[in-house]
Amino acid sequence: MPMRLLMALAAILLAGLPAVSQAGGKQVAPVADPLTQKVCGECHLAFPPGFLPARSWSALMADLSDHFGEEIVLPAGQAAQIEAYLVSHAGDAPGGGGLREFMRWVAPTGIPRRITENPAFLREHDFPDRVWRDPKVVTRSNCLACHPGASRGWFDD
Amino acid sequence: MKRRYLLVLAAAAIGLPLAAIAAAGSPERAAILAEYATRARAADPGFSGFSMQRGEALFRGSFSGGDARTPSCMSCHTADPRQPGRNAKTGRPIDPVAVSVDPRRYTDAAQVDKHFARDCKSVLGRDCTALERGDYITFMAGQ
């Protein structure tokens, strides 16, 4: 058995969390804009813009007073600056960090506000309930709990 | 040195017990507490200083007015503020908030103000009063 696979298995046994596959996969363009990183990386991973279409980012940025129950208050101008960055790097942006697999599932008129409801996400993350109830995970959107390299765009190690 | 002396004078002038300055441990934290004391007195002329016990009751209390995911400060900061916590909404780890572990806690007025507004709304469904804020910092300064 290759060493890496052994270590992945050991990680499952030790941590109780599924080990992320060590093979294949490619980097997802991480957030490279410092303002977006600072503001949108405060409470959770600054999610790579390629996971949602442009209209989703616009909808999220238009509704900062009720962001999943949080109120995000920003100095004038910052919201527009962040939106411009997210939109131009969205999954459906021309030449953007397009994640084909994720965009394929977004209905032409759909405006998803969560990455974690995308069928492509759900299929990759079809784990038993006890995994999601692990106190280190808390919620599906806590990518960093299982993908330590997520801030750099790595979701396969 | 000079700044600390001025703060002591200012605190004495508004009647904040000198012991509170000693408890505050840093001039920045003392200034934040002095500001809350001024506001607490304006709200209630009978104000007679902050209380570690009331601060602990706020920290440990369970409330129903806020976000269902966070009935208590302990939901994110855990029962022991000397330990790392975890954001109950996003799962992100939080560094310890006790002053004994991190002396920089409660010294940056903007950070303190932002978190009282945000975290109290999450737990209580409203901002914390100046009295509650001062009590809470006084409790954390002793942790």
Side-chain angles (χ1 to χ4, degrees):
Chain A
M1 207 183 277
M3 192 60 191
R4 280 202 306 201
L5 188 52
L6 268 179
M7 287 180 54
L9 280 177
I12 299 182
L13 294 173
L14 289 175
L17 292 178
V20 176
S21 128
Q22 299 283 308
K26 58 173 173 50
Q27 192 185 18
V28 175
V31 167
D33 172 51
L35 178 66
T36 307
Q37 180 59 50
K38 177 166 173 278
V39 172
C40 305
E42 190 191 332
C43 303
H44 46 61
L45 171 74
F47 300 113
F51 281 116
L52 288 172
R55 57 189 181 281
S56 292
W57 294 117
S58 293
L60 284 162
M61 295 309 296
D63 202 7
L64 292 180
S65 61
D66 185 7
H67 179 80
F68 304 90
E70 299 285 331
E71 184 178 0
I72 302 176
V73 183
L74 294 180
Q78 287 196 357
Q81 203 181 322
I82 293 170
E83 182 184 352
Y85 174 79
L86 293 170
V87 162
S88 62
H89 293 77
D92 58 350
L99 281 159
R100 243 176 244 290
E101 173 64 0
F102 275 70
M103 290 312 108
R104 207 157 63 80
W105 292 96
V106 180
T109 53
I111 309 178
R113 289 178 188 229
R114 284 191 183 270
I115 299 160
T116 54
E117 283 170 356
N118 189 306
F121 178 92
L122 294 172
R123 209 182 39 236
E124 289 276 5
H125 299 85
D126 182 16
F127 309 139
D129 247 19
R130 87 186 142 70
V131 169
W132 298 118
R133 281 197 309 266
D134 185 294
K136 288 193 290 299
V137 175
V138 178
T139 165
R140 281 165 210 263
S141 71
N142 185 10
C143 322
L144 282 164
C146 309
H147 300 288
S151 320
R152 281 165 285 117
W154 294 110
F155 290 92
D156 67 333
D157 63 13
Chain B
M1 191 62 220
K2 203 165 177 187
R3 201 149 143 245
R4 187 183 288 256
Y5 181 62
L6 275 176
L7 275 164
V8 170
L9 277 184
I14 59 163
L16 192 70
L18 288 183
I21 297 289
S26 92
E28 290 83 7
R29 192 174 304 115
I32 291 172
L33 281 172
E35 160 76 18
Y36 289 151
T38 306
R39 281 165 49 192
R41 174 154 304 108
D44 172 14
F47 169 73
S48 62
F50 294 125
S51 141
M52 211 176 226
Q53 285 75 19
R54 282 195 311 257
E56 177 161 20
L58 171 63
F59 178 72
R60 301 201 183 281
S62 190
F63 304 88
S64 57
D67 190 309
R69 294 169 290 185
T70 55
S72 166
C73 304
M74 299 191 299
S75 307
C76 295
H77 295 305
T78 79
D80 181 357
R82 294 186 201 87
Q83 296 297 319
R86 188 177 294 281
N87 191 311
K89 299 172 182 174
T90 65
R92 168 159 278 194
I94 302 175
D95 290 335
V97 288
V99 169
S100 64
V101 179
D102 185 351
R104 291 162 307 174
R105 290 294 187 194
Y106 319 103
T107 58
D108 174 342
Q111 162 87 348
V112 167
D113 189 52
K114 168 174 148 182
H115 274 286
F116 272 126
R118 176 187 285 172
D119 298 350
C120 291
K121 189 158 167 260
S122 184
V123 173
L124 307 165
R126 59 164 176 84
D127 199 343
C128 283
T129 63
L131 181 69
E132 288 167 326
R133 290 173 173 219
D135 289 344
Y136 187 86
I137 293 180
T138 304
F139 168 63
M140 286 299 174
Q143 293 302 301

